[in-house]
Every structure is written in C-alpha cells, then in structure tokens.
Amino acid sequence: MSTSQMVMYDEEFQEINAVIERLLKDSNSKVIFLVDKNGQLISGVGETERFDTTSLASLTAGNIAATGGLAKLIGEKEFSILFHEGEKDNLHISIVGGRVILVVLFDNRSSLGLVRLRVKKSSEELSTIFEKLMKKSEEQAKSGNSSFPFAEITDDDIDNLFS
Amino acid sequence: MSFINYASREINCKIVYYGPGLCGKTTNLQHVYSKTAPEAKGKMISLATETERTLFFDFLPLALGEIRGFKTRFHLYTVPGQVFYDASRKLILKGVDGIVFVADSQEERMDANVESLENLRHNLKEQGYDLDKLPYVVQYNKRDLPNAVSVDELRKELNPTNVPDFEACASTGEGVFETLKAVAKLILVDLKKGK
C-alpha cells in the first residue's frame, strides 16, 4: 500500500486539540479544522456546529489534491498554502507535516498576516505530534497489538450493520 | 486508507465508484442518498458542469452504525467518467479503501467499459495499489435497456477475476444497495484481517 493507515489515539488527540485551540485564540479566528489528505475530518475547534464539517473536509482535501496536481504540472512539489478571500469570511489552508491539512476560517477581526504568523508556529508543533503518532501506529502494527477493535469482529457483526 | 480514531471511536472508509462516462455512478449515489434515513447521511455534494456531468467528484457521507462501540462511516465518491478528466480521476483514488466498477450494459458501451477498467488498473498502479488486492465489486448497470449485453458476456470481458458482481438499474434503484453492501462488507473484512 502506498500510505500507512491513519490511526488516532486519545493522548495525541488531546495534544492536537490543545494546539489548535490555542491557535484559534491567538489568531482570533472563527473555526479551525484538521483534515486528513484523503478527506477525513480529524478534529475541529471553534464554531464548528455552524458548518457541515464532513463536506468541508472532503472539499478541502479535493481542493488540496487539485492544486497539488497543478503544482506538479509546473514543476513544483506542492503549494503548501492556499488562501481564499471572501466578502466576510476567508479561508487559510495549509499543509502540515506533508500529510495533514490545517484549515483556518477567519473574518475581519483578524488578518491574513496574523493568521499566517500563528499558523506557522502551530504547524511546527502539529508536525511533531503527527510524527509521533505515525511512529506509534507503526509500532503498534508491527507488534501485532490487537487492541484494534476489528480483530475480533464476527461476520454477524458486519451483517448486523446492514439489517 | 481507512482512518481509525480511538479518541472519538470512529472508523472512516472511502469507497470510489469508477466507470465510463454516463454509466450511472452519480445515479447510484443519488439513489443511496434518497433512500437513506436523514440521521444516517450527510449532505450530498456534486461538483458538476452546467449540463450535470460530473466535473470533479460527487461525495456522500454515510454512517452505517456501530461495530463493537466504533461508529462506522463510509465516504462514497464518484469519479468523472469522461476520458479527458483523467487527472481528476487519479486524485480521487487517493486513499481509497474499496472500489465499485459500474459498467454500462449497453452493447455500444462495451469498448468504453473495457477502456475505463484498464484506466482504473493503470491509475491505481500509479498510486501503488493493486486492484486485485483491494476490496472490489462490479455492477452491471442499465439492465432494463433493450440493447443490454448478456451478463455472461459482460462477466467474461469485465470480471475475469470473479469478484462479487451485481445486476442493477440505478435509475430505479435495483441492485444499488446490494452493490454498496457487498463492497462495504469486503472493506470491513479487510480491516478485520488488520491490513
């Protein structure tokens, strides 16, 4: 397989949320999302209930994938930052640690400069956490640790989902 | 790749509907959307042209229920079928967990089916996947049309590896859920093996 499976544990989840909560305050933004490059929402803080987070995650990943394709066409590795300016709200989208997408939604109470500055600092912290997470899940996979809940499921469990 | 979140106790998987232009991939998703209870589905997103042809992808999130305390979610995507959208198709295959190949049963679309299937294999390979190792099912769509080729013939051309296959008529919904269930089940069985 081309990429390893993404696994999230409680400990790292708390750490990640602490970083993006702080970023939310420091950058004076409205909502922050973390999305996996495949379009799965990892976490979100701020006024998340106002948004369709699942759709947002999928479209963000599509957006990053499309601009990544464009980048390759002109000989760039990727475009690591995207900025979308609206009448009221703006989106700052950046790639963290090569595999996760950080989405910051902000309005005129903040500014692009401030968001960029704060995102840069938080990205480094997030990269470290995700690196740790990747190592941890690789080790778990190698050791054949069966804390994985699906190891014991039965055919009946699966059939029940569709009943 | 599926995403397992121990913190929120969720498992997310990605299913991609592949096939030639106008074979009924979007129609499959539309039927699933219309027949699923509101609490089990999210918004369906279609990035389409003004003439309703898929431009980038359709997306439909589904929550199937719980297995051993884990919420099981499936994200359904379609690719744009038209030949010249190949760059977009490659992007959507990223991180795929299971594939539905939707074939158009009409005789005149046979070449398009074969070409699309070859394209699927090729694009997967480029990303380091092997179709024969992925959860994969085939759907023969448009069985209701008078010019439909026999299933035996379709099977010979499009399903030489004998994966689970289904007859369907996506516009009326026949066979749509059978196809989805089959691929979802294969994905879960794969997860169980700890791949």
Side-chain angles (χ1 to χ4, degrees):
Chain A
M1 290 288 158
S2 54
T3 46
S4 61
Q5 189 163 45
M6 177 88 157
V7 180
M8 176 65 72
Y9 300 98
D10 256 324
E11 190 192 341
E12 284 77 12
F13 192 66
Q14 307 295 351
E15 288 177 23
I16 286 165
N17 279 339
V19 175
I20 54 176
E21 286 275 8
R22 191 161 3 100
L23 175 60
L24 184 78
K25 265 197 217 136
D26 289 350
S27 65
N28 225 358
S29 48
K30 288 164 98 171
V31 197
I32 296 181
F33 296 105
L34 268 175
V35 179
D36 165 55
K37 268 194 175 173
N38 301 330
Q40 325 268 22
L41 180 73
I42 297 170
S43 185
V45 295
E47 305 164 25
T48 49
E49 66 288 340
R50 280 185 46 215
F51 299 92
D52 177 353
T53 51
T54 315
S55 303
L56 210 135
S58 149
L59 287 175
T60 307
N63 196 347
I64 282 285
T67 43
L70 278 176
K72 287 206 178 72
L73 284 179
I74 63 160
E76 279 289 325
K77 191 171 147 258
E78 64 185 8
F79 294 125
S80 53
I81 296 177
L82 309 179
F83 175 58
H84 300 305
E85 188 177 326
E87 273 179 20
K88 279 194 233 116
D89 293 328
N90 314 296
L91 276 178
H92 183 281
I93 303 173
S94 54
I95 301 174
V96 173
R99 120 155 240 171
V100 183
I101 305 165
L102 177 66
V103 186
V104 181
L105 190 146
F106 64 97
D107 60 14
N108 56 14
R109 284 173 293 173
S110 182
S111 68
L112 178 58
L114 179 67
V115 171
R116 278 190 80 148
L117 181 75
R118 301 297 186 191
V119 161
K120 201 172 171 198
K121 186 163 171 277
S122 303
S123 291
E124 285 164 16
E125 291 173 50
L126 288 171
S127 286
T128 317
I129 302 172
F130 276 105
E131 232 165 76
K132 195 171 85 180
L133 189 64
M134 286 305 146
K135 260 190 210 144
K136 192 165 165 180
S137 51
E138 267 168 35
E139 275 163 22
Q140 295 267 12
K142 254 189 232 156
S143 66
N145 190 325
S146 64
S147 67
F148 183 50
F150 270 44
E152 300 148 29
I153 57 165
T154 60
D155 286 353
D156 284 345
D157 283 333
I158 295 175
D159 284 331
N160 284 339
L161 267 189
F162 299 103
S163 57
Chain B
M1 284 276 86
S2 55
F3 170 38
I4 304 165
N5 192 334
Y6 283 92
S8 56
R9 301 193 76 74
E10 279 180 11
I11 293 179
N12 292 318
C13 305
K14 177 172 177 177
I15 299 173
V16 174
Y17 284 70
Y18 212 94
L22 294 175
C23 70
K25 302 174 288 294
T26 302
T27 313
N28 260 273
L29 256 64
Q30 281 165 343
H31 181 77
V32 172
Y33 182 79
S34 69
K35 293 290 173 201
T36 307
E39 64 274 13
K41 69 186 174 192
K43 214 166 124 191
M44 178 164 166
I45 288 181
S46 287
L47 302 179
T49 65
E50 282 172 2
T51 51
E52 307 249 311
R53 302 295 304 269
T54 303
L55 182 61
F56 194 5
F57 59 78
D58 302 302
F59 169 67
L60 174 61
L62 281 185
L64 274 187
E66 289 195 4
I67 290 191
R68 308 260 156 149
F70 272 73
K71 276 178 235 147
T72 318
R73 291 179 201 276
F74 286 90
H75 290 175
L76 275 46
Y77 285 82
T78 67
V79 297
Q82 294 174 85
V83 176
F84 55 88
Y85 288 134
D86 199 37
S88 306
R89 273 195 294 278
K90 285 180 192 172
L91 298 176
I92 293 150
L93 285 175
K94 272 189 189 170
V96 66
D97 292 302
I99 293 193
V100 176
F101 183 81
V102 182
D104 191 327
S105 294
Q106 298 176 91
E107 198 175 358
E108 62 268 31
R109 296 300 285 163
M110 205 57 169
D111 288 346
N113 288 328
V114 172
E115 190 186 346
S116 177
L117 189 57
E118 273 169 17
N119 177 255
L120 169 64
R121 270 192 190 278
H122 177 261
N123 284 345
L124 282 172
K125 210 170 169 189
E126 222 171 74
Q127 315 234 11
Y129 296 103
D130 179 352
L131 182 61
D132 298 325
K133 288 183 183 148
L134 276 174
Y136 165 54
V137 302
V138 178
Q139 180 187 79
Y140 310 118
N141 194 21
K142 308 194 186 183
R143 296 307 302 159
D144 56 322
L145 295 186
N147 50 348
V149 179
S150 76
V151 170
D152 281 346
E153 207 169 315
L154 285 163
R155 199 170 270 151
K156 211 171 103 199
E157 284 287 339
L158 304 171
N159 189 9
T161 52
N162 253 325
V163 297
D165 53 6
F166 302 88
E167 292 185 53
C169 171
S171 54
T172 61
E174 205 178 308
V176 168
F177 274 97
E178 287 79 355
T179 312
L180 174 61
K181 279 179 194 174
V183 73
K185 200 168 167 178
L186 288 178
I187 292 172
L188 293 172
V189 169
D190 230 33
L191 273 175
K192 182 179 160 182
K193 285 186 216 148
K195 271 190 186 170

